Amino acid sequence: MSFAPSPSPLVPCPPGTDAPPTCEVPHFAPVRVRGGHQLRRFVRHRRRAVALGLAVTAAALVAAGPGGDDGARGHPATESVREHRAVRTVSAPVRIADAATVRLLRPGDRVDVIAAEESALGGDARVVARGARVTKVPEPLDGATENGALVVLSVPRSTAARLAGASATARLAVTLC
């Protein structure tokens, strides 16, 4: 019994009878992909490559970091920010013994502050602040001219401490620069 292709689409054909006849396939050499060996080597050494990249990045960050080596550990930016934000000059209210001298002062003037200590042997005067900038001359209160007059000076912190100490033990005077 032989099966022939059926001319009618309704009558099924046995499987495999509609395939073309077989032919011989020629022999091909194996296909080799270029760079495959290098890619495999990279994947094998991926950890080394990542470690090397991190080391180079860390070295670049250290080289570009802040220049000063103060021995501090941790995040150095917090210390340098605090240094930059530190106020170098402060406003120091100073009571000058001679109120008439203070009336001559205007904001922006430069003055030297002199402390005159009174002792039984005589007076000893010393310069407490040099070239201090007058920032404000407050109006004297009624009857307050006997105790001198107040003037606000812009001075470095260390000078402000010397002014406060001198005003407690001596009478202060100013000279215009």
Side-chain angles (χ1 to χ4, degrees), residues 55 62 70 73:
V62 168
D70 56 357
R73 300 282 181 208

Side-chain angles (χ1 to χ4, degrees), residues 47-109:
R47 289 182 190 154
R48 287 184 192 162
V50 169
L52 179 65
L54 288 174
V56 169
T57 303
L61 288 173
V62 168
D69 183 29
D70 56 357
R73 300 282 181 208
H75 198 283
T78 57
E79 291 300 320
S80 62
V81 168
R82 287 183 187 148
E83 287 175 12
H84 292 302
R85 288 187 182 172
V87 177
R88 294 191 175 137
T89 59
V90 295
S91 296
V94 178
R95 184 157 303 276
I96 305 301
D98 187 9
T101 306
V102 175
R103 284 192 300 238
L104 299 173
L105 300 177
R106 301 286 178 258
D109 288 346

Side-chain angles (χ1 to χ4, degrees), residues 27 106 122 139 168:
H27 178 71
R106 301 286 178 258
E139 292 295 321

Side-chain angles (χ1 to χ4, degrees), residues 31-40:
V31 178
R32 300 200 187 262
V33 178
R34 292 186 183 189
H37 177 67
Q38 293 167 349
L39 179 62
R40 274 183 264 144

Side-chain angles (χ1 to χ4, degrees), residues 2 4 12 17-18 35 41 44 65 88 99-100 120 124 140 145 163 168 170 173:
S2 81
T17 55
D18 55 345
R41 184 172 40 170
R44 263 196 324 250
R88 294 191 175 137
D124 185 27
T145 57
L163 283 170

Side-chain angles (χ1 to χ4, degrees), residues 101-124:
T101 306
V102 175
R103 284 192 300 238
L104 299 173
L105 300 177
R106 301 286 178 258
D109 288 346
R110 295 275 185 176
V111 295
D112 289 344
V113 181
I114 301 168
E117 297 193 23
E118 296 177 15
S119 65
L121 301 173
D124 185 27

